[in-house]
Amino acid sequence: MPAGGRALGVRGLSPPEAHHGHGVEDEEGDPEGQHLLSSVLDGTDPLSMFAATADPAATAAVTDGSRKKRDREDTSGVGPDFEPWASKRDEILVRHTTTEKLSINLFMGSERGRAGAVASAASEKVRTRLEELDDFEEGSQKELLNLTQQDYVNRIEELNQSLKDAWASDQKVKALKIVIQCSKLLSDTSVIQFYPSKFVLITDILDTFDHFSPENVNDTAKETCLNWFFKIASIRELIPRFYVEASILKCNKFLSKTGISECLPRLTCMVRGIGDPLVAVYARAYLCRVGMEVAPHLKESLNKNFFDFLLTFKQIHGDTVQNQLVVQGVELPSYLPLYSPAMDWIFQCVSYHAPETLLTEMMERCKKLGNNALLLNSVMSAFRAEFVATRSMDFIGMIKECDESGFPKHLLFRSLGLNLALADPPEGDRLAILSEAWKVITKLKNPQDYINCAEVWVEYTCKHFTKREINTVLADVIKHMTPDRAFEDSYPQLQSIIKKVIAHFHDFSVLFSVEKFLPFLDMFQKESVRVEVCKCIMDIFIKHQQEPTKDPVILNALLHVCKTMHDSVNALTLEDEKRMLACLINGFIKMVSFGRDFEQQLSFYVEARSLFCNLEPVLVQLIHSVNRLAMETRKVMKGSHSRKTAAFVRACVAYCFITIPSLGGIFTRLNLYLHSGQVALANQCLSQADAFFKAAISLVPEVPKMINVDGKMRPSESFLLEFLCNFFSTLLIVPDHPEHGVLFLVRELLNVIQDYTWEDNSDDKIRIYTCVLHLLSAMSQETYLYHVDKVDSNDSLYGGDSKFLAENNKLCETVMAQILEHLKTLAKDEALKRQSLLGLSFFNSILAHGDLRNNRLNQLSVNLWHLAQRHGCADTRTMVKTLEYIKKQSKQTDMGHLTELALRLPLQTRT
């Protein structure tokens, strides 16, 4: 019986057992024993049966994700090394477009048999469903003409949605009609350039149609499945019959164990009836795709598709095709690439895990065919890269023999180059391969053809040759792409070349010695592209540069690259982009070292400041680098007091003092003033240190109430508190200036704190005053807790002088008065908790830093203890532990006065 013949038509079968039911009514009133074919038309088709036995929740969700599911299943029977169809789909849609007008036939439907119409008898229902099919086949359709490509795509999407809706509403016949209608579109090659994209769009709909993966189907499903295939066999036209049956190929496994293995060869033979070679090759590609999904182990059908294609290959160059091209005004070089997606897929399926002997046989069969450039290209595109690479010279010989009129040789060399980027050819052939390829590439006149091919072979050149060959290739690219500014149309390919070069040359001294590398960069004249290239270069440098460098070639080149990135910043640049650029530039700055040539290092930082003045993080990095340089100088020149060393350190200090005011972040400036002052102090630059500290003090009143932290506005007081505490720690070791009086910096800072407008309901001012008391207490000691080498702090300058101590005590009394005054203001119901906490904190400060043998101070501590507990706000556990600590300390030598204090500190009990 001929495949797909009318003998299996809807009206053609009536199995005897169909007439012996038991009268059990189904949901539509049909007896269970009615004609099996009628059950198909009623909706109990095999797919519905499968759905009934599957998980309902899974079935409901499957329709919308059908194509995604199919894409995932493309590799279900193969390994991860098999490239799925999904990865090729988008590329086909992008590459094969048209501006020609398209047409499409839409099924308009019929009022007969629609949902809601209930037949009174089973025979009426069968007749109604059959009439629906006849209505479709007899031409109740509407042809839409003059559609743009986007209109066409939209219509196809509408059909896809209609299919989903029909299936969801249990209108299985309507769903089949839509699939048939869409499949028919694949016989239309009136706009031939669009055919590969049309194939992708239509097979997406076929994927939607076949979206069930059932398990444990019962015996009845086998019978209904058979009738489902009878129904498909009734489709009169070959192409829709082929595609619809192929789309549900996996359902054959429910007919028999050998159902799929029997059906695949029949469908393969069916393709022989398709006369148009382009339509036929895509049909074979679809069959191979389905075959790899449901039965990848059945290699014979895959191989048969390949060899059948070879037998009909000469049709491509026959009169029928040539006449068709003349009518459509399509040249052969534009026509032949239309075959590539389908051929590449067929070749990929056949060659997947194929033995070497089969691959060799396939290659030899292709060699014997005339005009075989198209075949050769698909062989190189689909076969394993290792197979192609080891036979590179053989392939080059075949390429040379090809007729260039139909399929350009440079495309063949491009395909060969793609393989050689993945696998290495024999070492002895490498130079000859490059020479033969470049002879062809360099003769290309069309810039796009040239750059598409050259881009691929750059990878091969970088992998196997030296900078001399790379320089030659780059020079050739410049020569071809500079005339008429052709490079402006090829930025992606030029970017790819740069990425490949820098990926293989991590030694930047070698890279920048390539004469044509920087001139190559000059072709990137579009700013956004140029910046992206510069970012790639810097990223590779930071990742792979192992040692700091002072190579002038590298420094000059990368300064230019970083300057390009910096100059791209403007008012519209996003903060994330600024951070990224600053990070890359800082990575470069950190890798520059002139060893002990400190003056040259400072000169580099001066130049960098002038080049990168608009990126604050870079300026911050430079200030830190200069501070480290000053400390390194001090370490290396330890013991040396030469004027030259002192002058250099002062130059570093001046660099920081000049640069800091240009920064925007106020806490960045405050912290850098403090840090730079510490560095100046460590290098015995006392007047410069005073200048930094004064600048920091004068900046405190400018601190706003709210600051931006990681894109969010937050109160600034906690940050100011942290800074001032660090500042106080430094002020301990800063010696007084002989012309400014005792503790002049501390006094200035206290005045600023006093005048600063603090937030209402904030206790940070009192916490700062408490830290000041800690500082003043440390300053009253005979010997300070820490010092800076070769810097005399106030303990050495005053030597415990009574006037100094008296001045210190006055400041202490002033600060304590401020604290006590604030505690009085908290004697309100809503502030009693704060009063208790601050009172206990002040008590602990006196306990840790005060001399409690002083009666006034002793009494003050007792009063604070009572204040902390007065309103029952104190934490009893904390109070108990504090008292236990005092009693423990009282047992130590010279701490007996704490015994009396402990007796005066009662613990309140809560009632």
Side-chain angles (χ1 to χ4, degrees), residues 70 124 173 184-185 210 263 376 408 462 548 553 682 777 802 858 860:
R70 179 66 166 265
E124 180 65 24
V173 172
K184 281 186 176 183
L185 297 175
D210 173 36
C263 191
L376 189 57
C462 290
V553 175
S777 174
S802 58
N858 191 293
L860 176 60

Side-chain angles (χ1 to χ4, degrees), residues 840 865 869 873-885 907-908 910:
L840 183 59
W865 180 268
Q869 300 183 95
C873 296
D875 180 59
T876 304
R877 252 180 103 188
T878 301
M879 304 302 288
V880 170
K881 286 187 176 181
T882 303
L883 187 57
E884 289 175 353
Y885 170 77
L907 289 172
Q908 283 191 354
R910 295 182 182 180

Side-chain angles (χ1 to χ4, degrees), residues 501-648:
V501 171
I502 62 177
H504 286 87
F505 285 82
H506 296 160
D507 187 341
F508 276 69
S509 61
V510 174
L511 178 64
F512 288 125
S513 66
V514 175
E515 181 184 354
K516 295 299 181 180
F517 184 76
L518 292 179
F520 190 94
L521 292 181
D522 291 338
M523 287 195 293
F524 295 99
Q525 295 188 14
K526 185 178 179 181
E527 184 181 69
S528 60
V529 179
R530 184 168 66 248
V531 170
E532 286 302 315
V533 171
C534 290
K535 285 160 66 174
C536 288
I537 293 173
M538 293 311 304
D539 186 57
I540 293 293
F541 175 81
I542 292 169
K543 285 180 180 178
H544 297 284
Q545 183 70 22
Q546 300 296 321
E547 300 292 335
T549 182
K550 61 178 181 179
D551 188 322
V553 175
I554 294 178
L555 297 189
N556 290 333
L558 292 186
L559 278 173
H560 172 72
V561 169
C562 290
K563 173 67 171 170
T564 299
M565 295 192 299
H566 169 272
D567 290 350
S568 70
V569 175
N570 55 44
L572 300 178
T573 305
L574 298 176
E575 289 301 318
D576 284 348
E577 177 70 6
K578 290 181 182 178
R579 276 193 290 270
M580 179 184 295
L581 295 177
C583 182
L584 292 172
I585 296 173
N586 285 341
F588 164 59
I589 290 171
K590 292 175 184 177
M591 293 305 297
V592 177
S593 175
F594 289 87
R596 293 197 174 187
D597 190 346
F598 300 130
E599 291 185 358
Q600 187 64 37
Q601 189 79 37
L602 183 59
S603 296
F604 169 77
Y605 292 144
V606 170
E607 182 181 5
R609 180 178 61 187
S610 67
L611 293 176
F612 312 128
C613 57
N614 291 329
L615 284 173
E616 183 165 311
V618 178
L619 295 179
V620 172
Q621 176 62 46
L622 288 169
I623 293 169
H624 284 305
S625 298
V626 171
N627 278 327
R628 279 195 296 270
L629 181 62
M631 295 303 295
E632 184 68 18
T633 304
R634 175 176 178 267
K635 179 180 178 181
V636 173
M637 302 298 180
K638 194 171 184 179
S640 172
H641 298 282
S642 68
R643 293 182 179 179
K644 184 177 180 181
T645 302
F648 176 77

Side-chain angles (χ1 to χ4, degrees), residues 224-240:
T224 54
C225 186
L226 179 62
N227 281 301
W228 184 258
F229 280 103
F230 292 166
K231 180 178 179 180
I232 293 170
S234 72
I235 300 171
R236 293 171 181 159
E237 296 180 29
L238 173 61
I239 290 175

Side-chain angles (χ1 to χ4, degrees), residues 343-349 351-352 377-385 419:
M343 289 173 57
D344 290 351
W345 180 257
I346 294 171
F347 281 44
Q348 178 186 325
C349 294
S351 63
Y352 181 67
N377 187 66
S378 289
V379 166
M380 290 188 289
S381 298
F383 281 21
R384 293 191 298 270
N419 281 280

Side-chain angles (χ1 to χ4, degrees), residues 21 134 151 158 296:
D134 288 340
D151 291 336
E158 289 174 12

Side-chain angles (χ1 to χ4, degrees), residues 235-291:
I235 300 171
R236 293 171 181 159
E237 296 180 29
L238 173 61
I239 290 175
R241 186 166 73 246
F242 165 81
Y243 274 104
V244 175
E245 184 173 354
S247 71
I248 59 168
L249 178 65
K250 61 183 173 185
C251 294
N252 279 276
K253 65 184 177 181
F254 302 109
L255 299 179
S256 68
K257 293 182 178 179
T258 59
I260 293 176
S261 61
E262 293 171 353
C263 191
L264 271 174
R266 180 173 57 79
L267 289 172
T268 300
C269 292
M270 191 185 296
V271 180
R272 295 175 182 174
I274 300 176
D276 190 311
L278 183 65
V279 177
V281 75
Y282 277 92
R284 294 191 188 282
Y286 184 71
L287 187 57
C288 288
R289 178 185 164 195
V290 175

